[in-house]
Amino acid sequence: MRQGDGTDRQPRLGWWNETTEEKFDRRTLANMNLALDRVCENVPYGEDHVVRKRVAEQIIKCATSGKTALGELTDAGQRALISLGCAANSESRRR
């Protein structure tokens, strides 16, 4: 699925492709999306496409390894931010 091309079935979930959608159940996909939003919401450049893509890639990698709990996915996304040097305000996102 690509956002903005008229083929979106779930526009908010467009950061992964159809193959990713086929690999995971709805709960895992929802956790993945929530983890992405939580990780990126309070950091500089968190809405930047490149940053979100890198975080999403690590969340997908985590879920593919079998770690699908929200906390595990969020931690994987947070590690991606650290590797990008974007982890400022990371503690403010924890609830």
Side-chain angles (χ1 to χ4, degrees):
M1 278 189 297
R2 283 170 267 137
Q3 288 182 307
D5 68 357
T7 61
D8 297 8
R9 287 184 297 240
Q10 298 175 325
R12 290 212 13 111
L13 306 179
W15 53 271
W16 56 62
N17 60 34
E18 290 179 14
T19 304
T20 304
E21 252 185 49
E22 294 169 1
K23 287 182 181 181
F24 304 108
D25 61 32
R26 289 172 94 23
R27 182 180 183 146
T28 301
L29 291 170
N31 282 346
M32 292 165 69
N33 194 55
L34 184 55
L36 177 67
D37 287 343
R38 283 187 176 179
V39 168
C40 292
E41 71 184 354
N42 291 317
V43 296
Y45 309 107
E47 293 300 317
D48 182 75
H49 175 74
V50 173
V51 172
R52 288 181 71 84
K53 181 178 178 183
R54 182 73 60 89
V55 171
E57 288 169 348
Q58 291 307 306
I59 289 171
I60 291 167
K61 185 176 179 181
C62 180
T64 300
S65 76
K67 297 176 183 174
T68 60
L70 179 58
E72 294 169 322
L73 297 168
T74 303
D75 288 345
Q78 188 64 30
R79 286 189 299 274
L81 282 181
I82 291 167
S83 73
L84 288 168
C86 298
N89 301 322
S90 63
E91 288 304 310
S92 67
R93 66 130 182 102
R94 293 195 181 266
R95 295 184 174 126

